Amino acid sequence: MAITEVERRRGQLAALSIAAVVIIVGVPLWWRTTETYRAWLPVSQIKDLAKLQLHLSADVEVVFARGTVTPEQQKKVPLTQTQDEEHTVDEDTTLRYRYETKYRTATIMEEDALKKPTAAEADLSLHMLSESPCGSLVVYVIPESSSLLPEDVNVYIGQRRTALVRISAQMRVGKTLEQLLAQLEPQIKQVLQVMSFSHTDITVALSDRVRFRPGNKESIADSMRAFKSSPGYEITFSLLNPDPKSHQLHWDIEGAVQTYIQPLLTKLSPLANFSMDSQTLYYTMLGVTPRFDSSFEAYTLNADSLAHVINPVEARLGSNAASSNPVLNFLLYVPDIRHSPLYIHDHRKQEVPSNAFHSPRWGGIMVYNVNGFYGSETEFPVHVNINMAKVMGVFLAQLRLLLGVQSLSPPPGFLVAPCGSTGLADWELDRLMWSRSVENIATATTTITSLAQLLDQIGNIVINDNIAQQVSSAVTSLQLAMAELEVGNLGFALQYSKEAILASEKAFFDPSLLHLLYFPDDQKFAIYIPLFLPMCVPILLSMLKIVSEARQRRREKQAKKE
Amino acid sequence: MAAHRCSCWSWLLILFSLSVFVVADIHETTPVNDHHGGVDHNAQTAEQTADQPAVEERRWEATEVKEAATVDAAADIQGTSAPETVVPSSVPQPKDDFQEELVIRPLHSGDIYASFQFRTLWDTDFMRENKVSHYRLFPKSLGQVISKFSVRELHISFTQGYWRTMQWGQPFIPSPPGAELWVWFQDSVTDVDATWKELTNVLSGIFCASLNFIDSTNTVQPSASFKPLGIGNVTDHSFLRYATLPREIVCTENLTPWKKLLPCGSKAGLAVLLKSEKLFHSSFHSQAVHIRSVCQDWQCKTTSWELRQTLNSVFDLHNSGQTKREWSLFKMFSRTLTEACPLASSSKLYIDITDNPQGEQFELSPATSLLSQAVVLGDRRTFSVYDLTQETTFGSVRSLNLLIRWKSNEGYIHYEPSKDRVKPHLLEMLIQLPPNSVTEVTVQFERALLKWTEYPPDPNHGFYVGSSVISSLVPSTVAMHTNSTRERPLFSSFFPCKEESSYFVRIYTEPLLVNLPTPDFSMPYNVICLTCTVVAVGYGSLYNLLTRSFQIEEPNPGLAKRIANVIRRMRGVPPL
């Protein structure tokens, strides 16, 4: 009996030690060999980014010209005021605008500049005196008697970062400086809304992050028209010649691009890299056959059918092989001889004067009629030299719209200077930079937070070191960009936000993240079961047996004691 | 103890079946999951489209040109902008040029070889600093590839089928089956391997081919065989990369982007013939793109880029079930030519008539008087030429449907190819056999795997192919009666007799039993059972050895002994 007892103990010990080996060696071994490599991510910082608090601050300088302030008022300037505005967009996103307004009187040189005969000249010479940094504004307050502005204009917005505000008579009669400033404030606020960021622009820019609920259709269309912010854009001009047998077209695209488009793009170069090319496509038909309208004696395209026009052309346009930046397409369509002349009609059945239309986030198309060259005995093919000034005027206007340079209608009493040869005023560029920085930050934060969420949810994904590095650099750039926005360094903020968006996209679309994504748990168990069950069941059973025996023995002992 | 072990085994058995079920379950559920995914996706798109109409109204907007914005800009350069005019004859000579050509050659095997070549020449420099590039005839996508990847020379070909040199002779532009790509890079490229990898990815996008599978495992740098075909005597083969993908299957999706590179697309010129449903119904199909720089003039002072697009195919005349040996553009391409590409400076169609100088083998219609001689592959050959830029080529019907009619008629072959699971092959041949000769008809076939439900219960028995039939009129030694109504024994009157001198015979051959490869139907089940059994038996017995205790039990006394003991107990004697 003693021998069997010893044998039984030996069996139990063997079972226990096998169980111990399985638990101590087997499980960790299995765990190590099937483990996925996951590099460290700055999770807490990403969590902070999920709650976005954007501070935007703009420097405004208000300069009083001679004759706008009384001597006793003058004693109190210069002084500085700060205004804060806080908006809560949704539970995770808050915006705070800070306008730092500095008040001072004009210097002698500025006084001289303000004595120029026209506002445009004054604007130019003020710009020569001092160049205000990106994102800041200078508002000159000029006396009522000044001849710079026409009668009905109170505010003049220049080509650079300056505005002229005329003080009205009732504002200045015998009051303290504080009252004067209070009187001036609404006007300065309006100037700021036009020349710097406005709340609507910023909320539109946040649309990647916050579900944007606009009030009306108008603002949907406005917000959807411009291209999304991107580090680069490809601009492609295509000449569509569906009928090379009848028309031989010559366009001096090289010269036209240099004279019309390049200045604008040079000005926009801090925003993104632009590259341009052009091509000529033959035998490309529009998707819609134009109808002959006898009342106009011309073929017409209705606004409703425009949506179908592009599809067959798009197949021929070809995507850019060399980069993955968004492409802005500008098409010049010369209708074939059987559908000529061709005019575009809008929703009210009116002829569109420019004979061009554009599609949001895609590009524009212009119809160029050459039927004027058909004589009674014209020999085909007709050689036509395309008037590039006319064409580029339309394309430039479309390009401005598609890039998000909004030509908003100014409030009454405002006069906006026509933009110069560059096609873009400095303050328009600033506006664009404000909204692009905010948009980049919004996009990058959403990308990074959703990436972190995804990696958190799916434990199978391998996180390589390079991804972790990209994520960290995106987070750092984001923090830097937000800090720069807070102090008002617009240029740096845009730069950092671009870096953030590049790094975050690179991390998000890294191909290594997809490797083990589609390996669900149930399939894993199907592989493990034939191996694990035959091993574990005997161990478990003998464990159960050992436990039940031990319990029985204790009960027997207790019975003995009693 | 034994009972315990037994229950243990039954546990294991249950587990086996469970694990099998689990596997089966997974197979069934995955498609369902996919389906769910699809439905979700649909729902989403439906939502999107529901959202759309509100936006759609404003999607296409007329462009209002702000006069202030653009006229002002235009004013600065008003002096330079030319007013729109009818250009007088002094149009600047375009720097690019396009030519197209089709060569048709009847092959000895009776097939037809058609070779298209399209050449675009462009006098430009892709390597300029200024990356703004303006394309006219040269395709933009390829131009961007050349300038981005600093390509000196690029050759890419997609081929379906193998060129049978024994039957067909040499092709004008040879190419291996599958896809082939070889590229010479400029000396300025620093990391050739990375550029090559990126280039193959971009090209695979442009040509819709799986060129992205080219990697270091199938890329070589030939040092002697692949010299640049254009100008430039580069000898450093570290700038050369060569790769082939023999498995690449060429089809319509490769042809469409290839056609898009042509200035006239497939709308005019020779390219209208390139209809994919006919082109891919051929014995051999090869399309290629060759880019290189060539000399512009004899002294080679200036160079220009040459893009040569070639397409070669061999059409099998018997395949299309024709009775007469006759061939026309319409029969081959289901299109006729109506015009040359208006952008082409030359557009010509050549027919190889070297073997047919007097028109004894075949005749051409419409006939042409233009003849041309060319030395190709070490041989001087004569061609009939049709110049498509001339109006007279198209005649009064305004279309050119070139017809080649062979004169000799050598029997009759009727062939209907099979369709899988629909109809079998049918091959009928009318042959005149010389006496005392052996005629052998061989049919090549490939063994294929059937779908697993299509196998009969005894798949290893093989599959029967029905008998071949020979129907023949055999000369008779006695005169026959042609009148079928005449009273005759029944056994002699089944086949009607048309001629007195011959009788009809039908011979059936033996049916053919073909062994098809049969798969191992129980393989997955075997694998699971085997692994489970091995693991369970090996591990289980080891475990039992270690944990169970073994003891010697008294053997049971035999039946006779027990009975004897009972009797002894009754007798009161001590048991044995």
Side-chain angles (χ1 to χ4, degrees):
Chain A
M1 200 62 211
I3 294 168
T4 52
E5 188 55 36
V6 167
E7 272 294 291
R8 241 168 47 89
R9 289 234 31 103
R10 190 194 59 82
Q12 281 181 354
L13 281 177
L16 279 174
S17 55
I18 286 179
V21 166
V22 165
I23 289 164
I24 293 166
V25 179
V27 172
L29 191 74
W30 168 68
W31 192 259
R32 285 290 300 172
T33 46
T34 57
E35 194 185 35
T36 50
Y37 179 74
R38 290 169 76 84
W40 179 84
L41 292 181
V43 183
S44 63
Q45 291 177 37
I46 294 172
K47 280 213 181 97
D48 292 344
L49 286 177
K51 281 222 177 297
L52 187 65
Q53 274 195 316
L54 272 181
H55 294 254
L56 278 74
S57 61
D59 291 339
V60 188
E61 215 173 339
V62 179
V63 182
F64 291 101
R66 195 178 301 148
T68 50
V69 280
T70 54
E72 58 266 29
Q73 286 173 336
Q74 202 175 340
K75 275 179 202 152
K76 292 186 182 165
V77 288
L79 85 163
T80 310
Q81 279 187 350
T82 312
Q83 281 174 312
D84 276 328
E85 246 180 76
E86 197 151 343
H87 296 270
T88 311
V89 184
D90 67 353
E91 63 263 27
D92 285 341
T93 316
T94 48
L95 290 170
R96 182 184 289 167
Y97 309 132
R98 167 186 294 239
Y99 302 102
E100 277 182 32
T101 322
K102 279 189 206 128
Y103 298 94
R104 66 174 173 86
T105 49
T107 60
I108 300 164
M109 309 248 274
E110 285 169 336
E111 287 293 346
D112 286 345
L114 287 172
K115 284 197 186 108
K116 288 268 157 68
T118 62
E121 278 175 61
D123 182 38
L124 181 65
S125 44
L126 284 173
H127 172 70
M128 304 297 260
L129 282 176
S130 67
E131 200 169 339
S132 45
C134 204
S136 65
L137 285 181
V138 186
V139 180
Y140 290 92
V141 182
I142 54 171
E144 195 194 353
S145 54
S146 171
S147 58
L148 279 177
L149 303 181
E151 275 301 303
D152 50 341
V153 175
N154 284 326
V155 178
Y156 173 85
I157 291 173
Q159 282 186 18
R160 283 92 195 177
R161 299 185 178 93
T162 49
L164 304 178
V165 176
R166 179 164 29 196
I167 199 159
S168 58
Q170 75 268 20
M171 272 188 198
R172 51 184 296 245
V173 276
K175 284 185 184 162
T176 59
L177 184 65
E178 281 72 31
Q179 281 168 316
L180 175 71
L181 294 187
Q183 292 264 348
L184 262 178
E185 202 192 306
Q187 246 176 351
I188 290 180
K189 194 111 189 196
Q190 268 187 321
V191 171
L192 278 173
Q193 295 277 323
V194 173
M195 293 181 71
S196 186
F197 51 86
S198 66
H199 184 57
T200 28
D201 283 357
I202 301 298
T203 38
V204 167
L206 282 172
S207 61
D208 246 12
R209 206 189 144 80
V210 183
R211 195 95 187 100
F212 175 54
R213 280 178 232 89
N216 49 1
K217 280 182 195 167
E218 201 84 0
S219 48
I220 300 187
D222 281 344
S223 67
M224 279 183 56
R225 190 186 300 122
F227 269 83
K228 285 258 154 210
S229 179
S230 151
Y233 297 96
E234 312 283 330
I235 301 174
T236 302
F237 297 96
S238 306
L239 172 63
L240 307 186
N241 185 359
D243 194 5
K245 273 182 102 172
S246 325
H247 302 139
Q248 277 210 9
L249 306 173
H250 306 275
W251 69 338
D252 177 26
I253 184 71
E254 225 153 317
V257 157
Q258 277 307 320
T259 41
Y260 297 92
I261 306 289
Q262 196 58 53
L264 174 67
L265 298 187
T266 318
K267 187 110 193 203
L268 282 171
S269 56
L271 275 182
N273 301 322
F274 293 91
S275 72
M276 278 186 286
D277 44 33
S278 79
Q279 60 182 344
T280 310
L281 297 176
Y282 301 92
Y283 290 103
T284 39
M285 298 295 182
L286 295 187
V288 180
T289 320
R291 273 207 307 267
F292 187 73
D293 194 332
S294 46
S295 59
F296 293 96
E297 294 208 334
Y299 290 85
T300 59
L301 271 178
N302 282 328
D304 307 328
S305 58
L306 289 179
H308 311 289
V309 160
I310 294 300
N311 293 359
V313 181
E314 175 109 57
R316 289 284 308 276
L317 285 178
S319 53
N320 195 317
S323 82
S324 49
N325 290 328
V327 182
L328 286 82
N329 292 295
F330 294 100
L331 312 184
L332 183 65
Y333 180 78
V334 178
D336 54 329
I337 192 161
R338 278 160 306 158
H339 295 118
S340 182
L342 175 65
Y343 294 107
I344 299 171
H345 283 194
D346 61 11
H347 288 282
R348 294 182 301 279
K349 303 272 173 227
Q350 294 297 307
E351 206 172 282
V352 175
S354 61
N355 217 7
F357 59 93
H358 58 265
S359 171
R361 294 186 188 170
W362 182 82
I365 178 165
M366 178 183 179
V367 178
Y368 190 91
N369 286 311
V370 294
N371 55 308
F373 299 114
Y374 308 149
S376 49
E377 67 264 16
T378 318
E379 222 177 274
F380 288 101
V382 186
H383 292 268
V384 179
N385 206 350
I386 290 169
N387 180 1
M388 291 313 279
K390 186 173 150 195
V391 173
M392 282 298 154
V394 174
F395 284 166
L396 201 60
Q398 289 176 339
L399 184 64
R400 274 170 58 95
L401 280 176
L402 292 169
L403 288 177
V405 185
Q406 265 137 354
S407 42
L408 64 165
S409 50
F414 274 56
L415 177 71
V416 178
C419 47
S421 55
T422 53
L424 192 74
D426 283 352
W427 57 270
E428 282 180 308
L429 180 66
D430 284 357
R431 270 180 80 97
L432 208 56
M433 282 167 79
W434 281 117
S435 61
R436 283 295 147 99
S437 319
V438 173
E439 188 182 341
N440 284 350
I441 291 174
T443 315
T445 48
T446 359
T447 314
I448 284 292
T449 43
S450 53
L451 176 65
Q453 212 177 349
L454 179 85
L455 295 179
D456 191 40
Q457 270 175 7
I458 306 175
N460 279 339
I461 301 182
V462 177
I463 307 176
N464 285 329
D465 283 337
N466 64 328
I467 290 169
Q469 200 189 332
Q470 295 287 359
V471 170
S472 309
S473 78
V475 170
T476 329
S477 309
L478 268 176
Q479 287 165 342
L480 281 171
M482 280 153 72
E484 294 290 350
L485 268 189
E486 200 171 337
V487 292
N489 282 341
L490 189 49
F492 285 114
L494 184 68
Q495 187 57 37
Y496 285 125
S497 71
K498 276 203 295 199
E499 281 168 19
I501 211 164
L502 275 178
S504 64
E505 300 278 307
K506 212 167 175 182
F508 194 84
F509 292 108
D510 196 282
S512 73
L513 285 184
L514 287 172
H515 268 196
L516 284 174
L517 198 58
Y518 301 106
F519 206 72
D521 282 339
D522 46 355
Q523 296 198 7
K524 242 191 248 175
F525 284 117
I527 293 166
Y528 287 145
I529 276 174
L531 184 68
F532 278 15
L533 278 187
M535 289 185 77
C536 294
V537 166
I539 295 179
L540 279 179
L541 285 179
S542 40
M543 288 297 120
L544 283 177
K545 209 176 144 203
I546 290 170
V547 168
S548 65
E549 272 176 12
R551 205 178 288 161
Q552 202 175 351
R553 210 175 304 145
R554 202 187 301 151
R555 217 176 294 144
E556 273 169 16
K557 260 183 201 165
Q558 274 178 352
K560 259 182 207 168
K561 271 182 192 166
E562 283 164 9
Chain B
M1 194 60 79
H4 185 81
R5 195 176 296 176
C6 212
S7 73
C8 200
W9 274 111
S10 65
W11 253 102
L12 283 177
L13 274 178
I14 290 164
L15 287 171
F16 290 161
S17 49
L18 252 179
S19 64
V20 172
F21 283 136
V22 168
V23 174
D25 264 359
I26 288 157
H27 279 291
E28 272 168 315
T29 48
T30 31
V32 177
N33 277 341
D34 279 358
H35 191 67
H36 274 297
V39 170
D40 279 350
H41 184 70
N42 282 347
Q44 211 170 21
T45 48
E47 257 176 44
Q48 279 169 3
T49 43
D51 274 350
Q52 215 86 55
V55 185
E56 192 71 10
E57 276 177 39
R58 294 262 308 175
R59 208 180 123 72
W60 296 90
E61 299 174 71
T63 307
E64 298 164 28
V65 180
K66 268 262 182 99
E67 291 297 318
T70 50
V71 170
D72 194 55
D76 294 353
I77 10 111
Q78 199 56 267
T80 55
S81 69
E84 64 186 281
T85 40
V86 175
V87 179
S89 53
S90 65
V91 177
Q93 198 59 37
K95 286 160 112 187
D96 43 5
D97 176 61
F98 177 67
Q99 286 177 304
E100 53 180 7
E101 198 178 283
L102 166 62
V103 185
I104 289 168
R105 178 199 266 185
L107 299 170
H108 293 299
S109 61
D111 301 317
I112 291 276
Y113 174 38
S115 169
F116 293 84
Q117 289 216 17
F118 303 90
R119 186 171 83 151
T120 312
L121 276 175
W122 191 19
D123 171 22
T124 189
D125 185 9
F126 285 112
M127 304 306 152
R128 277 182 310 185
E129 283 300 303
N130 184 8
K131 288 282 182 181
V132 183
S133 38
H134 303 281
Y135 298 89
R136 201 176 81 96
L137 296 175
F138 204 89
K140 184 171 76 112
S141 52
L142 286 183
Q144 281 173 336
V145 166
I146 295 172
S147 64
K148 179 170 184 201
F149 298 104
S150 305
V151 172
R152 176 190 294 276
E153 210 166 277
L154 185 146
H155 302 270
I156 184 167
S157 76
F158 299 98
T159 307
Q160 187 72 36
Y162 176 69
W163 182 270
R164 317 226 161 252
T165 314
M166 293 291 280
Q167 299 164 31
W168 298 340
Q170 276 294 319
F172 295 124
I173 294 180
S175 57
E180 182 202 39
L181 173 68
W182 56 286
V183 176
W184 276 93
F185 291 99
Q186 301 277 2
D187 312 340
S188 53
V189 179
T190 45
D191 188 354
V192 180
D193 284 315
T195 319
W196 166 251
K197 182 74 205 151
E198 212 174 325
L199 174 69
T200 52
N201 279 314
V202 168
L203 287 176
S204 95
I206 291 178
F207 291 103
C208 290
S210 23
L211 296 172
N212 50 328
F213 287 104
I214 291 178
D215 53 15
S216 60
T217 57
N218 46 21
T219 302
V220 289
Q221 301 174 35
S223 59
S225 188
F226 287 87
K227 290 287 166 211
L229 297 179
I231 50 163
N233 40 0
V234 203
T235 45
D236 186 1
H237 65 270
S238 62
F239 293 105
L240 169 66
R241 291 293 180 277
Y242 175 92
T244 52
L245 293 174
R247 270 201 65 173
E248 182 70 20
I249 289 169
V250 185
C251 203
T252 327
E253 75 267 18
N254 306 111
L255 183 67
T256 314
W258 185 89
K259 281 198 288 194
K260 258 197 230 169
L261 301 175
L262 297 169
C264 282
S266 50
K267 298 278 172 50
L270 290 169
V272 291
L273 300 177
L274 302 173
K275 278 199 72 177
S276 52
E277 61 260 43
K278 284 287 181 180
L279 271 186
F280 290 102
H281 209 261
S282 55
S283 320
F284 177 82
H285 171 92
S286 166
Q287 62 190 65
V289 170
H290 303 276
I291 299 172
R292 57 180 175 177
S293 52
V294 292
C295 289
Q296 237 173 17
D297 44 22
W298 188 72
Q299 284 152 330
C300 210
K301 278 181 187 148
T302 48
T303 61
S304 54
W305 285 87
E306 183 200 64
L307 164 69
R308 215 181 257 246
Q309 289 178 256
T310 64
L311 189 143
N312 297 300
S313 64
V314 174
F315 290 89
D316 186 352
L317 286 185
H318 301 300
N319 212 351
S320 42
Q322 294 176 1
T323 51
K324 263 187 287 178
R325 269 196 85 188
E326 199 178 272
W327 176 91
S328 71
L329 281 182
F330 187 77
K331 256 184 194 159
M332 196 153 79
F333 299 108
S334 72
R335 279 275 196 287
T336 58
L337 290 170
T338 52
E339 57 175 347
C341 172
L343 306 163
S345 59
S346 118
S347 175
K348 288 198 172 100
L349 197 158
Y350 295 88
I351 314 279
D352 192 336
I353 50 161
T354 316
D355 304 329
N356 183 37
Q358 277 7 109
E360 61 266 17
Q361 283 190 19
F362 54 83
E363 59 175 326
L364 291 172
S365 101
T368 176
S369 56
L370 266 170
L371 282 182
S372 145
Q373 283 206 330
V375 176
V376 56
L377 299 166
D379 191 9
R380 184 180 300 279
R381 303 197 72 92
T382 318
F383 296 92
S384 291
V385 185
Y386 295 82
D387 189 351
L388 301 183
T389 48
Q390 310 276 303
E391 284 291 314
T392 48
T393 312
F394 299 104
S396 54
V397 286
R398 318 267 319 129
S399 92
L400 175 67
N401 181 19
L402 186 74
L403 185 79
I404 301 179
R405 194 180 287 118
W406 272 266
K407 286 188 174 153
S408 57
N409 196 350
E410 338 158 315
Y412 166 84
I413 293 178
H414 173 67
Y415 176 63
E416 278 177 34
S418 77
K419 280 185 191 155
D420 273 355
R421 298 175 181 91
V422 179
K423 68 173 190 182
H425 290 276
L426 170 66
L427 173 64
E428 281 182 293
M429 288 187 284
L430 184 63
I431 316 170
Q432 206 151 24
L433 299 181
N436 290 325
S437 65
V438 178
T439 303
E440 210 174 299
V441 178
T442 55
V443 177
Q444 281 187 0
F445 67 93
E446 289 167 9
R447 295 168 204 269
L449 279 171
L450 299 181
K451 287 184 184 165
W452 70 282
T453 47
E454 287 170 348
Y455 282 97
D458 54 345
N460 291 315
H461 178 78
F463 292 79
Y464 283 101
V465 177
S467 308
S468 308
V469 186
I470 302 164
S471 310
S472 160
L473 284 173
V474 181
S476 165
T477 45
V478 285
M480 310 275 289
H481 297 287
T482 50
N483 185 0
S484 57
T485 52
R486 230 186 77 133
E487 186 73 13
R488 269 195 294 174
L490 291 177
F491 59 81
S492 70
S493 63
F494 181 67
F495 288 113
C497 190
K498 297 264 169 58
E499 286 173 52
E500 281 189 2
S501 60
S502 58
Y503 62 97
F504 182 82
V505 173
R506 182 165 286 160
I507 304 166
Y508 292 95
T509 65
E510 210 180 341
L512 189 65
L513 183 62
V514 183
N515 260 317
L516 283 191
T518 45
D520 178 6
F521 295 104
S522 56
M523 195 269 284
Y525 178 73
N526 290 349
V527 169
I528 292 171
C529 283
L530 192 73
T531 45
C532 291
T533 316
V534 166
V535 169
V537 167
Y539 170 79
S541 51
L542 185 72
Y543 187 84
N544 279 339
L545 263 178
L546 289 175
T547 56
R548 305 261 181 255
S549 52
F550 297 91
Q551 39 189 282
I552 300 161
E553 210 171 82
E554 279 291 304
N556 272 340
L559 185 64
K561 205 174 181 180
R562 249 189 275 170
I563 294 168
N565 279 344
V566 169
I567 295 167
R568 286 174 82 102
R569 212 182 293 150
M570 285 198 299
R571 278 172 55 201
V573 190
L576 283 173

